[in-house]
Amino acid sequence: MTSETPKPVYGIIAEFDTTADAIHAAEKVRDAGFRRWDVFTPFPVHGMDRAMGLRNSKVGWFSFIGGVTGYLLGMLMIWFMNAQDYGLLVGGKPMFSPFAAFPPSYELTILLGAFGAILGMLFLNRLPRLHHPLLKHKRFALASHDKFFIVIETSDAKYSETETRKLLEDAGSKRIEMVEE
């Protein structure tokens, strides 16, 4: 006799047919107090962020910090090169002028702001993630065609298999399954 050890469960997935059903279910899951869950739709759904209770993204702060760093780095670079490292007096002009240093500083603001946005997005989305348990689930492929899914992770503090399943059934899901790691 072989005893097969049960595979760890990633979460519970509920399938919905319409956007209205998915939004209604997302509001119920949000109101139930879940924190580790997500909604997957075949197209952007207006109002889903509000239904999920999501706040504004923090990516803008990464971009802002990158931009400020770029501007200050540009000014510091031009000041160091002109006034300290290779100070060459030409026609009585000042060794450093912020007006002359503005164009390279502006370009570094744009460059480092873009890098900040990209790196912030990767960091906040926990990317790159080379594997996700949902990709093994057979019906999840329909999320890019015509179905709407809500996934609640088992690592959520409020997760209880029976209560979570009942919540999703009450929200209108016709098909609820467990997702293995």
Side-chain angles (χ1 to χ4, degrees):
M1 264 183 8
T2 62
S3 64
E4 192 175 306
T5 58
K7 292 182 181 179
V9 177
Y10 171 75
I12 189 167
I13 185 168
E15 184 178 321
F16 299 91
D17 292 328
T18 66
T19 55
D21 292 342
I23 287 178
H24 176 68
E27 290 170 345
K28 283 194 169 200
V29 171
R30 176 201 65 204
D31 293 342
F34 287 96
R35 296 279 177 232
R36 299 189 57 90
W37 63 286
D38 205 351
V39 179
F40 298 92
T41 63
F43 49 83
V45 176
H46 180 71
M48 186 60 80
D49 290 349
R50 191 176 325 112
M52 292 177 69
L54 298 177
R55 296 184 300 264
N56 286 337
S57 174
K58 295 179 178 99
V59 173
W61 287 104
F62 284 88
S63 183
F64 176 74
I65 290 169
V68 168
T69 302
Y71 183 78
L72 294 176
L73 188 64
M75 286 291 180
L76 182 66
M77 177 182 72
I78 299 298
W79 170 80
F80 177 75
M81 287 179 190
N82 290 345
Q84 296 296 317
D85 187 38
Y86 193 69
L88 185 61
L89 189 59
V90 177
K93 293 179 184 169
M95 292 293 193
F96 173 74
S97 169
F99 300 111
F102 182 77
S105 298
Y106 177 73
E107 293 299 329
L108 277 175
T109 299
I110 301 301
L111 180 68
L112 294 186
F115 284 157
I118 291 169
L119 294 175
M121 183 271 306
L122 291 172
F123 174 74
L124 292 174
N125 288 328
R126 296 178 278 168
L127 293 174
R129 186 171 184 174
L130 302 177
H131 167 74
H132 196 283
L134 287 175
L135 298 177
K136 292 191 300 185
H137 194 269
K138 290 179 179 99
R139 294 203 48 92
F140 186 69
L142 296 174
S144 62
H145 293 289
D146 63 348
K147 297 293 181 190
F148 302 85
F149 293 95
I150 291 183
V151 178
I152 301 175
E153 298 179 20
T154 55
S155 59
D156 193 300
K158 296 212 37 126
Y159 180 83
S160 164
E161 185 175 347
T162 55
E163 292 176 15
T164 305
R165 185 176 290 272
K166 182 170 179 356
L167 172 73
L168 293 170
E169 286 171 354
D170 292 345
S173 175
K174 309 279 188 279
R175 185 181 190 111
I176 301 172
E177 298 176 9
M178 302 303 290
V179 178
E180 296 175 348
E181 283 281 336

